[in-house]
Amino acid sequence: MQYGPAVRRRKLGAELRLLRTRVGITSVEAARLVGWHQSKVSRIETGASGVKPADVHRLLDAYAVDDGELRELLMALAGSEDGGGRHNWWHAYRGVLPPTYRDFISLESQASGMRTLETSVVPGLLQIPEYARAVTRAAVEGLEDDKIDALVEVRLARQDVLRGHPPMELSAVLDEGVLRREVGGPEVMARQLERLVEAARLPQVRLQVLPFTAGAHIGITGPFVIFSFRNTSDLDVVVLDHLTSSLYLERKEDLRAYVEAFNTLQIHALSPEDSLDYIAGLAQG
């Protein structure tokens, strides 16, 4: 398990090493092409040190990488300010966002798919403003109103990934408790349920309800997120949230275990069609 910055360095380095080997050159030859010492290439590939976006750009040119989406993804992992042409809007909120949350948003902004189990609250990408405010206020006690406002703005801005071209594909399994917990009061919850009904009808969103009658299940230990990337599965990562930080799992065996767990949860959950009917029924009172 690694924290966000470390996992990003390791994933970036591994991908750069793979690209180098694909073009059939050694790390010594790569260093010569870009005018560096071989040790710098090695440190980058092992994730031992960070790498500037400009240096990633030079390596990608040296390896003749012309896949625009892959270049954009790797530049974002390096912390590019423009994400290869896409403004990283969350930098404006550095004062209120902890590093692990910024890393989460960075990965989310570049991911092509997100699978999530939620056991307590509605996924952030589907929250309405009033619900997001109530969750934020409860999660971080004593926070000033202006900081709560900023965090809610961030939560809503993140939802743009569902409206991108192409949009992220979101697959969520919601424990029944998510739908029955009146976050923000009955009126806010009613509007939030209506928002879920709208979202469930989008082609890029798949919602399934895991009813109480399912009993104990493999996800009972807590929620998780699996990010997938269009260009390579080597960059896929599992994120586990804790009260003060997030943990990132990148090992293939960890990824396999969580993917299998999510598939099992989908089998035990209501179908998307039945889930939509169930949520709509709750929304109507």
Side-chain angles (χ1 to χ4, degrees), residues 118-120 173-182 208-217 220 268-270 278 282:
E118 293 291 350
T119 58
S120 299
V173 173
L174 308 181
D175 187 88
E176 185 176 347
V178 171
L179 307 177
R180 294 194 175 276
R181 180 171 291 104
E182 289 191 350
Q208 290 182 258
V209 176
L210 190 64
F212 290 146
T213 54
H217 53 78
I220 205 164
H268 291 290
L270 301 179
Y278 185 81
L282 290 178

Side-chain angles (χ1 to χ4, degrees), residues 57-223:
H57 181 78
R58 293 175 67 181
L59 288 172
L60 295 178
D61 285 346
Y63 305 155
V65 177
D66 56 7
D67 185 326
E69 289 188 358
L70 179 57
R71 290 182 70 103
E72 182 176 334
L73 173 59
L74 297 181
M75 293 291 286
L77 287 175
S80 173
E81 291 295 321
D82 61 7
R86 187 184 306 170
H87 178 60
N88 290 351
W89 53 267
W90 56 90
H91 288 297
Y93 296 90
R94 283 183 179 271
V96 296
L97 298 180
T100 52
Y101 193 14
R102 294 200 300 267
D103 269 335
F104 182 91
I105 297 173
S106 177
L107 290 171
E108 181 181 71
S109 71
Q110 297 296 325
S112 60
M114 176 178 176
R115 284 165 284 183
T116 181
L117 165 68
E118 293 291 350
T119 58
S120 299
V121 297
V122 169
L125 296 182
L126 303 178
Q127 293 178 8
I128 63 173
E130 298 86 353
Y131 186 99
R133 182 176 300 279
V135 168
T136 303
R137 191 178 296 279
V140 191
E141 292 185 356
L143 201 62
E144 298 89 341
D145 286 344
D146 60 336
K147 290 186 177 180
I148 290 178
D149 291 342
L151 290 172
V152 171
E153 288 177 11
V154 169
R155 185 69 55 91
L156 300 180
R158 284 172 48 202
Q159 298 177 5
D160 283 345
V161 297
L162 296 177
R163 297 183 285 269
H165 301 285
M168 171 194 280
E169 295 183 1
L170 172 64
S171 183
V173 173
L174 308 181
D175 187 88
E176 185 176 347
V178 171
L179 307 177
R180 294 194 175 276
R181 180 171 291 104
E182 289 191 350
V183 175
E187 293 184 4
V188 169
M189 197 63 205
R191 292 197 298 274
Q192 178 62 73
L193 291 172
E194 291 172 358
R195 167 62 183 139
L196 288 178
V197 171
E198 295 172 1
R201 293 184 174 131
L202 296 174
Q204 69 271 32
V205 176
R206 177 188 175 99
L207 294 185
Q208 290 182 258
V209 176
L210 190 64
F212 290 146
T213 54
H217 53 78
I218 197 168
I220 205 164
T221 55

Side-chain angles (χ1 to χ4, degrees), residues 240-279:
L240 306 178
D241 271 336
H242 294 266
L243 183 61
T244 58
S245 65
S246 297
L247 289 176
Y248 294 69
L249 286 74
E250 59 175 328
R251 298 186 308 169
K252 291 186 182 299
E253 52 266 42
D254 292 327
L255 285 165
R256 188 181 307 112
Y258 276 88
V259 168
E260 290 176 356
F262 190 80
N263 292 341
T264 299
L265 290 167
Q266 286 186 307
I267 292 172
H268 291 290
L270 301 179
S271 70
E273 296 76 18
D274 289 343
S275 295
L276 175 59
D277 291 343
Y278 185 81
I279 297 171

